[in-house]
Amino acid sequence: MSELRLASEKRLRIFTGRAFPELAESVAQELGIPITPTSSYDFANGEIFVRFEESVRGSDAFVIQSHANPVNKHIMEQLIMVDALKRASAKRITVVAPFYGYARQDKKHRGREPITARLMADLFKTAGADRLMVVDLHTSQIQGFFNGPVDHLFALPLLANYVGSKVDRSRLTIVSPDSGRVRVAERWSDLLGGTPIAFIHKTRDPRIPNESVTGRVVGDVEGQTCVVIDDMIDTAGTITKAVDALFNAGAKDVIVAATHAVLSGPAIERLKNSRVSEVVVTDTLPIPEDYLFDRLTVLSIAPLLARVIREVFEDGSVTSLFDGMS
Ligand code: R5P
């Protein structure tokens, strides 16, 4: 390794907030570097204090924080870390948000609503972020909200390769739980050799959060093993209603694959009580030990994050890792 390269290696630094330090630790291990020690604590009134324990001057800083529950606290902590890095002369600051909070509020569904996904991007920019790195945004166009480069990573190859290795592809149908995700279902289909796709006609009352009304299955799923794909499982209402609709339409078996295991409120009970044979998610968010159950499979996103961080640091190509997906 040349001296020049060694000098640049020294500048790559990984930082983690308190949302999910285990994920950052796995990423750091993949990269073969330690996490830069940081003190973070809350004052009595809930305000957050952050200080880095080493000089960060000149560093290429990657601040890993998934916007896990409590979402607002973890976002604020990441903003504060970015501010501290900027003021301590980090050379470049990348906000790594494996799960980007508020992504579902990406447009005004009705009058007098915010576009909080945009506000988030503005906040990170104002704090001093030079770039964003995120996994499976709720909608791709959120990338345009941030005034700077966005590395949009996809868990699809990870999830699809796992599912593809477990099922008989000749009897497989990829199912989008709503019409908006059909394009993603097509990508799954391409990756698994051209399997048929179907979708659930879902309607939602925008006045009631986390509540959807599942309609009919569009497509023939009779006798098929169905893989329902989604960006996230929050309360699991969407996904379990889709599972029911598919069995009612004659599916032989149903697997669920989703990137972000938000798993709020009744999610685990709903999944346990559902007829789904396997729920496959990634660890973009922490999953408490007591949430784990035998039909839940958690795939690690850390190797992908580490690979992309390495590419960004070395001015390599991130696009080439995803074969033109956007
Ligand atoms: C909706 O458009 C999203 O892609 C997810 O389907 C939804 O947010 C999941 O939420 P829940 O699990 O609460 O139904």
Side-chain angles (χ1 to χ4, degrees), residues 137-155:
L137 284 167
H138 180 60
T139 49
S140 282
Q141 53 268 34
I142 292 172
Q143 292 171 86
F145 291 174
F146 183 73
N147 189 14
V150 177
D151 300 301
H152 188 195
L153 282 50
F154 301 98

Side-chain angles (χ1 to χ4, degrees), residues 210-212 214 233-243 266-267 270:
N210 289 114
E211 220 20 85
S212 69
T214 295
I233 304 175
D234 190 354
T235 64
T238 303
I239 224 80
T240 50
K241 282 175 186 166
V243 171
R270 283 179 174 167

Side-chain angles (χ1 to χ4, degrees), residues 52-65:
F52 307 114
E53 299 300 337
E54 293 173 3
S55 169
V56 298
R57 184 179 300 278
S59 60
D60 194 354
F62 292 81
V63 186
I64 303 177
Q65 176 93 308

Side-chain angles (χ1 to χ4, degrees), residues 106-117:
D106 60 348
K107 60 174 172 284
K108 291 172 70 164
H109 299 89
R110 296 175 301 154
R112 303 189 296 280
E113 286 189 358
I115 302 181
T116 321

